[in-house]
Amino acid sequence: QVGNYKRTVKRIDDGHRLCNDLMNCIHERARIEKVYAQQLTEWAKRWKQLVEKGPQYGTVERAWCAFMSEAEKVSELHLEVKGSLMNEDFEKIKNWQKEAFHKQMMGGFKETKEAEDGFRKAQKPWAKKLKEVEAAKKAYHAACKEEKLAISRETNSKADPALNPEQLKKLQDKVERSKQDVLKTKEKYEKSLKELDNATPQYMENMEQVFEQCQQFEEKRLRFFREVLLEVQKHLDLSNAASYKNIYRELEQNIKTADAVEDLRWFRANQGPGMSMNWPQFEEWSADLNRTLSRREKKKASDGVTLTGINQTGDQGSQPNKHSSSLSVQSNTVQSVQSSYNPFEDEDDTGSTVSEKEDNKIKNVSSYEKNQSYPTDWSDEESNNPFSSTDANGDTNPFDEDTSPAMEVRVRALYDYEGQEQDELSFKAGDELTKMENEDEQGWCKGRLDNGQVGLYPANYVEPIQ
């Protein structure tokens, strides 16, 4: 019908808008993929640190950490999905839209104007004849109405005796003219209808031709959309990706390698009855061995200490589940350390180490860390021990110089340390030595190297050998 082709023309403009909608849809999904990948990476990093610092050990720890490795790999895959959506699918739609729709200087698209002109040109002759038919129809209906009115007047006048013959004759002539007008308008109406019917096939053919052109244009868009959606589906469907399947195959294998028996055996050998024990042996007396430095003497000697050679490069591979914290001192502190501030004091007191600041950023779900040192002092009912450092009167034992000697414990160096005084030990990261006295209030311990040298060293430079 006349004017209804506008719906087909509007479909061309809708096609351009649908391209924009599809691009926005893909762009939004790509943004979701990116955010998800970032969240996976952050989750994996955070929990990997928590598990490594927590009390879990052995093969179960490795199985647990396998989930973090899975998250990192899946994150990479989702970043690839995001890249495929934006670099391939998004750009493909954008380029196709640019090639299919050509903007005009005065606004609108060239394809829309061509379709509009084609339909208008094909419809114009038939619309003109349709207009003539409507006019003939209107004239015919008016003539019929006039004829009916004239006949009604003539019939009424015959029943009126007061009407003279001349007036009656006029009414009869009016009826006759009305009948002739009806015949003429009817003939003209029928003729215009016939001409319209004759023009209809050509009209339909011309309109069909323009419509098919619009159909072909729309078919290209629909097929293109289907092609793009299939490509998007392939990019989103990770279930068919070999790398994606390998991630979970590897995860399953890592979990299945967790062996409770192996972990219990390792714990027994390293932290249970099977661990190496430095049984007490007879030792000859020597001046260096029995010399105990006082706190005041050590504190005085610590003035102007310069930290050198702090490296965390020691071989700690022999302890698979040990994690050490790094120590860092600001440059102005490295040059000179005043007696009121000792960098080797407990981290709880000084709060100066970088590792403590980093650990505060991560909420540890464990009640303690793997490198937590356990007290090696022991006694049976210390309150009733007659040899304790406090006598019956509550006074300190005059024969105790500073602290009671503790059981000797084997420790391993975490960092390189170069002694600054004659009574200080020097060692490399990974070296093992024997701790002879517990940490004092200044953060120093007394120890003995395997070559027999005895001296002091910073307590937080070593860790117990599990």
Side-chain angles (χ1 to χ4, degrees):
Q1 295 182 1
V2 176
N4 283 347
Y5 65 84
K6 294 185 180 297
R7 295 178 298 185
T8 303
V9 174
K10 184 178 180 297
R11 189 173 60 174
I12 299 176
D13 294 335
D14 291 342
H16 184 273
R17 183 176 64 84
L18 288 171
C19 288
N20 291 333
D21 291 344
L22 184 56
M23 285 191 290
N24 291 334
C25 177
I26 292 176
H27 181 266
E28 188 172 335
R29 177 58 185 268
R31 187 168 63 250
I32 293 174
E33 294 288 335
K34 180 181 178 181
V35 172
Y36 178 55
Q38 291 175 343
Q39 290 177 344
L40 278 179
T41 302
E42 293 171 359
W43 175 85
K45 181 179 179 181
R46 177 173 177 269
W47 276 97
K48 188 175 183 180
Q49 294 181 15
L50 290 175
V51 172
E52 289 178 348
K53 288 178 175 291
Q56 185 57 59
Y57 56 90
T59 59
V60 174
E61 180 193 3
R62 289 195 292 271
W64 192 347
C65 289
F67 281 97
M68 277 61 91
S69 299
E70 171 266 342
E72 292 173 348
K73 295 176 182 177
V74 172
S75 173
E76 294 177 0
L77 288 180
H78 281 281
L79 285 178
E80 292 178 4
V81 171
K82 176 256 180 185
S84 299
L85 291 176
M86 293 303 299
N87 299 332
E88 298 180 26
D89 303 329
F90 185 90
E91 290 297 325
K92 187 173 184 179
I93 300 172
K94 184 178 180 181
N95 294 332
W96 185 89
Q97 183 190 45
K98 188 176 181 181
E99 294 175 358
F101 298 91
H102 301 84
K103 292 185 178 181
Q104 297 184 120
M105 294 291 293
M106 301 301 294
F109 301 102
K110 177 182 177 182
E111 290 71 24
T112 302
K113 187 176 185 305
E114 290 177 351
E116 179 82 26
D117 294 343
F119 278 119
R120 188 182 293 109
K121 183 178 180 181
Q123 198 174 66
K124 186 175 181 180
W126 191 85
K128 183 179 180 181
K129 292 184 180 298
L130 179 63
K131 191 175 182 179
E132 293 175 356
V133 168
E134 291 294 333
K137 174 184 174 182
K138 185 177 181 180
Y140 169 67
H141 289 174
C144 290
K145 182 179 179 181
E146 188 67 27
E147 179 190 18
K148 184 178 180 181
L149 183 61
I151 293 174
S152 177
R153 287 175 180 176
E154 181 189 11
T155 302
N156 293 334
S157 65
K158 289 180 180 181
D160 187 4
L163 193 64
N164 54 38
E166 184 178 352
Q167 291 177 337
L168 183 60
K169 183 71 169 61
K170 289 182 179 179
L171 291 174
Q172 292 175 349
D173 292 342
K174 181 68 173 176
V175 171
E176 188 65 26
R177 289 196 300 272
S178 299
K179 291 182 177 180
Q180 291 178 1
D181 289 342
V182 168
L183 293 175
K184 289 180 181 179
T185 53
K186 183 180 180 180
E187 181 181 356
K188 188 175 181 180
Y189 181 33
E190 291 176 345
K191 182 180 179 182
S192 60
L193 272 176
K194 187 176 181 180
E195 291 177 355
L196 183 64
D197 291 341
N198 293 335
T200 297
Q202 184 65 37
Y203 162 70
M204 292 181 63
E205 182 180 351
N206 295 339
M207 292 292 285
E208 186 81 15
Q209 183 178 358
V210 181
F211 181 77
E212 283 301 321
Q213 293 176 357
C214 294
Q215 286 286 85
Q216 292 175 6
F217 183 82
E218 179 67 6
E219 182 183 10
K220 292 180 181 179
R221 186 190 69 82
L222 294 175
R223 290 185 180 276
F224 172 73
F225 269 40
R226 179 179 182 275
E227 177 185 348
V228 170
L229 292 175
L230 282 175
E231 292 183 3
V232 172
Q233 179 268 331
K234 291 179 181 178
H235 292 149
L236 295 177
D237 186 9
L238 296 178
S239 62
N240 292 327
S243 56
Y244 189 74
K245 294 180 179 179
N246 291 335
I247 291 175
Y248 291 97
R249 188 179 298 111
E250 182 180 350
L251 175 61
E252 181 181 5
Q253 292 174 354
N254 288 330
I255 296 174
K256 288 182 177 179
T257 55
D259 187 348
V261 176
E262 172 63 22
D263 289 352
L264 294 174
R265 185 200 64 77
W266 178 91
F267 191 87
R268 179 184 181 87
N270 292 273
Q271 299 184 11
M275 64 186 299
S276 59
M277 182 65 182
N278 188 17
W279 298 104
Q281 296 179 358
F282 179 79
E283 298 180 9
E284 289 291 345
W285 179 89
S286 66
D288 293 337
L289 180 62
N290 290 275
R291 182 187 176 211
T292 303
L293 297 179
S294 65
R295 303 293 190 279
R296 295 178 181 178
E297 182 181 355
K298 186 61 231 168
K299 185 175 181 181
K300 183 178 180 180
S302 65
D303 292 343
V305 172
T306 303
L307 306 184
T308 59
I310 301 179
N311 297 320
Q312 195 173 357
T313 57
D315 182 12
Q316 302 179 26
S318 60
Q319 297 293 327
N321 292 290
K322 303 307 294 178
H323 304 274
S324 59
S325 58
S326 59
L327 176 68
S328 174
V329 183
Q330 297 180 359
S331 59
N332 59 344
T333 309
V334 172
Q335 295 177 0
S336 177
V337 181
Q338 300 300 328
S339 60
S340 60
Y341 178 78
N342 193 328
F344 304 113
E345 290 179 355
D346 251 347
E347 292 181 3
D348 293 339
D349 297 332
T350 62
S352 62
T353 60
V354 174
S355 61
E356 181 182 3
K357 297 177 182 178
E358 293 177 351
D359 291 343
N360 287 336
K361 298 179 182 178
I362 303 174
K363 295 181 180 179
N364 195 335
V365 298
S366 306
S367 59
Y368 60 92
E369 296 184 357
K370 292 180 180 177
N371 57 355
Q372 179 181 4
S373 60
Y374 296 90
T376 56
D377 296 338
W378 61 273
S379 65
D380 293 333
E381 299 181 359
E382 292 182 355
S383 59
N384 298 324
N385 191 342
F387 303 103
S388 62
S389 58
T390 305
D391 60 10
N393 296 325
D395 298 329
T396 58
N397 192 334
F399 300 102
D400 273 352
E401 192 169 319
D402 289 306
T403 59
S404 300
M407 179 186 294
E408 295 182 345
V409 178
R410 294 290 289 175
V411 294
R412 176 182 289 106
L414 296 173
Y415 320 99
D416 295 347
Y417 180 73
E418 186 174 345
Q420 305 299 311
E421 303 290 341
Q422 293 182 355
D423 58 348
E424 294 180 10
L425 299 178
S426 298
F427 45 76
K428 299 291 184 181
D431 290 348
E432 296 183 3
L433 60 152
T434 302
K435 182 175 74 171
M436 301 174 61
E437 290 184 4
N438 288 334
E439 178 182 355
D440 62 11
E441 59 186 10
Q442 300 299 327
W444 293 84
C445 286
K446 183 177 181 181
R448 181 179 67 250
L449 298 177
D450 292 342
N451 60 6
Q453 182 182 356
V454 177
L456 299 177
Y457 62 90
N460 53 4
Y461 267 50
V462 300
E463 65 175 358
I465 298 178
Q466 301 293 337

